């Protein structure tokens, strides 16, 4: 892949991420389901990690994590660290054990949300925010509502991945 192709690919990913951020913050924020709004930024980081692999996934996870720390309350600086490692881990998982397709993306998304929610639940239990059952029920509702968006986000980032990869091979 040449430098212009590399620049185009990551610019397209960044523009898609801005669209996802606007969707999450300005539209989905106004449409809670079961009292929760979906978390689309971690989903975007996982999808790109599945499509691009571990190193690119970790880099994109780092960028998305910084953005998520600016947007999400709580875990000050934690999302940067978590999404960087999740990008690396999910990229490795799909590169060596799962397929880099929608099913692999769905499995990695569930694992990523489970990891994020487990860390948040442990942190909230230590700070006595709520009971374990309340936190688990909240995490389940958030996971369920967020996973609805795996289909459109997967197809968005997959289209970018395929278009740039195809034009780089011509």
């Amino acid at each position: 892949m040449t430098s212009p192709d590399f620049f185009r690919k990551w610019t397209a990913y960044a523009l898609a991420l801005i669209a996802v951020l606007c969707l999450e913050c300005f539209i989905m924020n106004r449409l809670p389901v079961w009292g929760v709004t979906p978390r689309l930024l971690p989903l975007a980081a996982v999808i790109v990690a599945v499509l691009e692999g571990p190193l690119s996934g970790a880099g994109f996870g780092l960028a998305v994590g910084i953005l998520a720390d600016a947007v999400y309350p709580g875990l000050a600086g934690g999302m940067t660290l978590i999404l960087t490692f999740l990008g690396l881990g999910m990229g490795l998982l799909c590169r060596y054990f799962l397929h880099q397709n929608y099913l692999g993306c769905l499995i990695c998304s569930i694992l990523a949300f489970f990891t994020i929610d487990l860390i948040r639940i442990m942190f909230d239990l230590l700070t006595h925010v709520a009971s374990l059952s309340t936190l688990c029920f909240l995490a389940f509702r958030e996971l369920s509502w967020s996973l609805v968006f795996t289909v459109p986000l997967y197809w968005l980032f997959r289209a970018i991945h395929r278009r740039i990869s195809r034009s780089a091979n011509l």
Side-chain angles (χ1 to χ4, degrees), residues 84-162:
T84 301
F85 284 116
L86 282 176
L88 177 67
M90 297 305 136
L92 284 169
L93 187 63
C94 271
R95 169 95 22 113
Y96 296 111
F97 298 107
L98 299 173
H99 294 287
Q100 291 175 303
N101 58 14
Y102 177 72
L103 182 60
C105 176
L106 184 63
I107 292 169
C108 287
S109 298
I110 292 168
L111 289 172
F113 275 111
F114 181 77
T115 304
I116 292 168
D117 287 336
L118 182 66
I119 293 168
R120 283 179 38 209
I121 287 171
M122 289 185 336
F123 181 76
D124 288 345
L125 283 175
L126 288 174
T127 56
H128 304 290
V129 171
S131 68
L132 179 62
S133 61
T134 303
L135 293 172
C136 288
F137 187 59
L138 177 66
F140 174 75
R141 290 182 297 169
E142 187 177 86
L143 168 74
S144 300
W145 184 216
S146 297
L147 287 179
V148 169
F149 292 91
T150 55
V151 174
L153 292 184
Y154 176 76
W155 290 107
L156 170 68
F157 287 107
R158 182 175 177 258
I160 293 169
H161 176 74
R162 293 186 99 190

